[in-house]
Amino acid sequence: MLSPFEESLLSIMMVIIMFGMGASLTFKDFKLSMRHPQAIGIGFLSQYLLMPFIAFALARILNLSTEQTVGLVLMGCMPGGTTSNIFAYFSKSLLSLSIMMTICSTLAGFILVPIWMALYTQGIDDAFRIPPDQIARLLFLLLIPTLLGMWLRRKNANVGAIIELTGGLLGAVVILFLVVTWAPRNWRLLIETSWQVYAAVILLGLVGFLFGYLFSRVMRLSPQKARTVSLETGIQNGPLAALIVIMTFTGETQQLILLIPVMYSLFIVLNSTWVTVLYRKITHREEQARDQAKVEPS
């Protein structure tokens, strides 16, 4: 499904993205994030309570195979990725809030992801389960470039800003390259894949968007903050899930489990695009309404 070159490229890309993510954050940002403590907390709960359960429920409802269930639950347990920050920017959501939620979920991931994976895959044959310590070690190792990026940004803001931009651009280029080269080479696989798999990977993102927004509104967040949480909830770190599978399994088992993260990564870009267009239109209408209210006589 992925060539050795693409697997190596994926590993390098994750290090670059994590380094760039760290370089995007200053310690001042942590202070500024305290302006939205409730939003960050709600986003955190959406990420690590709603999404794992949604993935598990979809796997049961759609009667996925054991390998597909492991792949889908892994996707549901993943922290947010930098992709959510990109779509938050274009949707006119709160970019700073999106970045902080991504950072928080990533930092907590090496503890929470193994716990949720162990919980939601209990009863599955050990041959198909991902050892919790394997997940924790990999996620902890990926925290190192993140912390190095934060340190470099603190030492030299200009260099840190350049690395932030470079990391984001390289990550986007690599993801685009993998998608463009993977789809033509695996067209037969796309045709033969069952409708249940398509439904699972598409609905995981869409239901995540919906539940993230509704949960935020129930918790009395503003519409703009709720849209930010929605994007952060629905967009999971697909490349990270793929890397975990590649580092854990081999042979046919690897390919069967890897199908879910790869398919999710393909469709989440499409789903996020139209959701972003919708959110951008809503934000534009809200801005027009506020401007109109300012000019109307009292």
Side-chain angles (χ1 to χ4, degrees):
M1 191 174 299
L2 291 179
S3 67
F5 171 73
E6 288 171 334
E7 290 181 5
S8 301
L9 194 62
L10 181 63
S11 302
I12 296 172
M13 180 197 73
M14 283 309 307
V15 173
I16 293 175
I17 287 178
M18 300 300 282
F19 192 45
M21 183 190 299
S24 71
L25 194 66
T26 66
F27 289 95
K28 183 180 178 181
D29 292 325
F30 283 103
K31 296 180 180 179
L32 293 176
S33 69
M34 291 301 102
R35 297 177 181 177
H36 314 287
Q38 184 185 12
I40 293 176
I42 292 171
F44 193 85
L45 291 176
S46 297
Q47 187 76 55
Y48 282 121
L49 288 182
L50 291 180
M51 288 303 286
F53 176 76
I54 291 170
F56 176 76
L58 284 173
R60 286 297 182 91
I61 292 171
L62 295 170
N63 196 28
L64 298 184
S65 68
T66 299
E67 295 90 346
Q68 293 164 357
T69 296
V70 171
L72 191 66
V73 170
L74 177 63
M75 278 309 318
C77 293
M78 284 292 96
T82 53
T83 307
S84 62
N85 307 146
I86 296 172
F87 283 107
Y89 171 77
F90 284 112
S91 68
K92 289 191 172 183
S93 299
L94 293 174
L95 179 59
S96 60
L97 176 59
S98 176
I99 292 174
M100 282 306 305
M101 286 192 292
T102 299
I103 290 291
C104 290
S105 65
T106 301
L107 292 176
F110 82 98
I111 295 175
L112 293 179
V113 173
I115 293 175
W116 287 123
M117 280 299 295
L119 174 65
Y120 282 112
T121 60
Q122 60 182 335
I124 291 178
D125 191 301
D126 287 343
F128 303 109
R129 299 184 71 187
I130 304 175
D133 59 328
Q134 171 83 356
I135 301 175
R137 282 198 299 269
L138 179 58
L139 293 179
F140 181 76
L141 287 175
L142 287 175
L143 288 181
I144 296 176
T146 304
L147 296 175
L148 285 175
M150 292 175 61
W151 174 81
L152 184 61
R153 180 64 176 258
R154 181 177 175 83
K155 297 293 288 185
N156 191 315
N158 291 331
V159 174
I162 293 173
I163 291 176
E164 173 194 355
L165 178 62
T166 303
L169 290 175
L170 285 177
V173 169
V174 171
I175 291 174
L176 181 62
F177 169 78
L178 290 175
V179 170
V180 170
T181 58
W182 182 86
R185 196 175 68 250
N186 292 275
W187 64 270
R188 188 179 296 277
L189 175 66
L190 292 172
I191 294 175
E192 295 174 350
T193 297
S194 67
W195 69 267
Q196 289 93 337
V197 170
Y198 280 97
V201 297
I202 292 172
L203 287 175
L204 181 62
L206 293 181
V207 175
F209 291 140
L210 178 61
F211 277 49
Y213 181 82
L214 293 177
F215 179 57
S216 301
R217 294 297 287 148
V218 168
M219 299 301 291
R220 300 181 181 278
L221 286 187
S222 68
Q224 188 180 35
K225 289 181 180 178
R227 290 193 290 270
T228 306
V229 172
S230 169
L231 289 170
E232 191 68 27
T233 302
I235 302 176
Q236 305 290 80
N237 197 330
L240 178 56
L243 184 60
I244 291 174
V245 174
I246 290 170
M247 299 291 288
T248 305
F249 300 100
T250 58
E252 184 179 0
T253 299
Q254 180 197 83
Q255 299 304 300
L256 292 173
I257 298 176
L258 187 61
L259 175 65
I260 297 293
V262 171
M263 295 283 285
Y264 171 87
S265 299
L266 176 64
F267 281 100
I268 195 61
V269 174
L270 302 176
N271 292 338
S272 301
T273 299
W274 76 263
V275 170
T276 294
V277 171
L278 174 64
Y279 283 175
R280 186 180 179 88
K281 288 182 178 179
I282 293 174
T283 303
H284 183 63
R285 285 201 297 266
E286 290 174 348
E287 290 174 344
Q288 286 184 322
R290 284 196 296 267
D291 293 341
Q292 185 67 25
K294 290 179 181 179
V295 299
E296 287 181 354
S298 55

